[in-house]
Amino acid sequence: SSAAARYSDPADLARFLGLFGALINVVGLLFVFLLAGRLLSRYGLAFGLAANPTGVILLVVVSTAVAAAGGLGTTALFALICAQQVVDIALTDGTTRGSINAAYQALPPRERLAAQTRVEGVGVPGATGAVGVLLLLVQLLGGGVVALLVIVLTLTATWLWLAVAAYRLYGTNLRRTITRRAWDPVALRLDDAASRAVVVRLLASEDVRDVAVAVDALAAATPGEVRPAVAMLLRSQDVDRVRLG
């Protein structure tokens, strides 16, 4: 709407939108390839989650101050609004998406897919629709640019608060997932000579724990492989070995 107010000729407006779209894409690509990875590697997930709302808040605060001071039709306000769009898209592509995907990894596998589905399948479209309804209400109520900037500032500040909360929960969930990770048992297969040789060495070990591991591995083996091992244990003079047999 700000661009349409400045360019009364549709051809000039179309030319500006084309150049502006190209600028957004170029800045976004340069940021992703040259800076995003380095910044995320150095400052971590906290930076990735908070960078976008922080950058947008700074520009919105300056834009609101310029608009409130009577600069609604000035080039400075127009440039600031354009800069908001550029910064938002560049940081979304370079930091936000990757950081959110990384934050999902702190959840247990069963919760991870459900959370990602709810956020991307319901949360994002719902938020987009709610913003559209909000813009229509502001327009119907006669709100101007300053009102829109105040709303954007409020929503972005809420976003920053949620980003900080998400980072704290990420740390908590990551510790929980690492310290309480369930061990998924995998059956040991003795279908090759090397595996059988390892089991034989474990059976002959002086450590009863090694013998127990060998017996567990033989539990799922064929009877022809189990019988010689049981006979070896029963012939042993060690009470613990006989008990395992």
Side-chain angles (χ1 to χ4, degrees), residues 17 40 56 83 94 99 120 130 152 162 188-189 195 201 206 236:
L17 292 177
L40 288 173
V56 173
S99 298
E120 298 180 1
V152 171
L162 290 173
L188 296 175
R189 302 181 59 183
S195 299
R201 287 199 299 271
E206 297 295 331
S236 173

Side-chain angles (χ1 to χ4, degrees), residues 84-184:
Q84 291 175 28
Q85 183 77 357
V86 174
V87 169
D88 176 46
I89 293 180
L91 290 175
T92 296
D93 294 338
T95 61
T96 304
R97 288 177 181 168
S99 298
I100 291 177
N101 289 332
Y104 289 133
Q105 305 308 309
L107 295 173
R110 293 182 179 179
E111 299 178 16
R112 187 183 309 153
L113 182 59
Q116 189 169 3
T117 300
R118 286 195 296 267
V119 171
E120 298 180 1
V122 179
V124 174
T128 303
V131 169
V133 172
L134 183 60
L135 291 175
L136 291 175
L137 289 176
V138 171
Q139 186 176 6
L140 290 175
L141 296 175
V145 175
V146 176
L148 284 175
L149 288 172
V150 171
I151 292 173
V152 171
L153 181 59
T154 303
L155 292 176
T156 310
T158 304
W159 178 9
L160 179 59
W161 177 79
L162 290 173
V164 174
Y167 177 70
R168 291 177 178 174
L169 290 173
Y170 167 80
T172 301
N173 287 328
L174 184 61
R175 286 191 295 270
R176 183 189 67 176
T177 301
I178 293 175
T179 57
R180 300 182 182 178
R181 182 174 180 86
W183 176 64
D184 298 326

Side-chain angles (χ1 to χ4, degrees), residues 19-29 82 85-87 89-90 93:
L19 293 173
F20 184 57
L23 175 65
I24 290 176
N25 291 328
V26 169
V27 172
L29 288 173
C82 292
Q85 183 77 357
V86 174
V87 169
I89 293 180
D93 294 338

